[in-house]
Amino acid sequence: MAVLKVAQLGHPILRRRAASVPRDTLRSRDFQRFVDDLIETMRKYSGVGLAAPQVHEGFQVLAVEAQKGQEEAPATPLTVLVNPVVTPLGNSLGEDWEGCLSLPGLRGKVPRHREVRVEALDRRGEPLDFTATDFFSRVIQHEYDHLQGITFLDRMKSFETLTYLDEYARYWAER
Ligand SMILES: [Zn+2]
C-alpha cells in the first residue's frame, strides 16, 4: 500500500466533477489497490473521510472512517462508496465544524442535512442502500461534495467562523 499525495485547494481537480467508475474497472487489481491506498492515505493524515479527487483521481470513490474520539466524532466504521448518490431526507439541518485535508489548518461551521439516503456500490460492486444520520451523514455529504467539485467553504453560510486550528483551539473549541 502507498500513501498518496493530497491535492491542495487551488488544484483544478478539486473543482471538477468526478467520473463514475465503470463496472469492469471495479474488478481490476489496479482499482482495488487504489482503494487500499485511499484508505491508507486517509488514516496516515488522520482524516475522517477522503475522496478520490483529493488524491488526484477524478473518479467517484470516497472513504469514511472515524476512530473513537477522533475529531470529537463517534466511532464510525470504515465505509467505501463507489458511484454514490446522496439524497437529503427531510428538511432538518444542523451546523457543525468541518475541516478538510485539502484545506489544511482551517475549520469552519457548515450546515448539513441531518439525515441522508445513500445509494452506492461498495468496493466489490455490491449495491448499498442505507440511511446516514448526524456525524456519519455530515462526513458523507462533505466527501460527496468533493465528487461534484465542491468544498466545505462553498457550503458555509458565512465566513465568520472560518478559523485556523490554533485559534479554533483557543477561542472556539469550548463553546
Ligand atoms: Zn474535504
Side-chain angles (χ1 to χ4, degrees), residues 49 54 99-103 142-143 146 151-152:
Q54 293 185 273
C100 181
L101 294 181
S102 295
L103 289 76
H142 177 119
E143 301 309 331
H146 278 304
T151 73
F152 83 81

Side-chain angles (χ1 to χ4, degrees), residues 48 65-77 135:
V48 293
E65 183 186 49
Q67 315 292 333
K68 199 170 185 298
Q70 186 184 2
E71 297 286 322
E72 298 138 36
T76 305
F135 177 79

Side-chain angles (χ1 to χ4, degrees), residues 39-82:
I39 294 164
E40 178 85 353
T41 305
M42 172 177 68
R43 288 175 175 165
K44 165 78 178 176
Y45 294 111
S46 302
V48 293
L50 194 61
Q54 293 185 273
V55 291
H56 308 89
E57 294 290 344
F59 284 116
Q60 293 176 20
V61 183
L62 64 85
V64 171
E65 183 186 49
Q67 315 292 333
K68 199 170 185 298
Q70 186 184 2
E71 297 286 322
E72 298 138 36
T76 305
L78 177 63
T79 306
V80 173
L81 302 178
V82 178

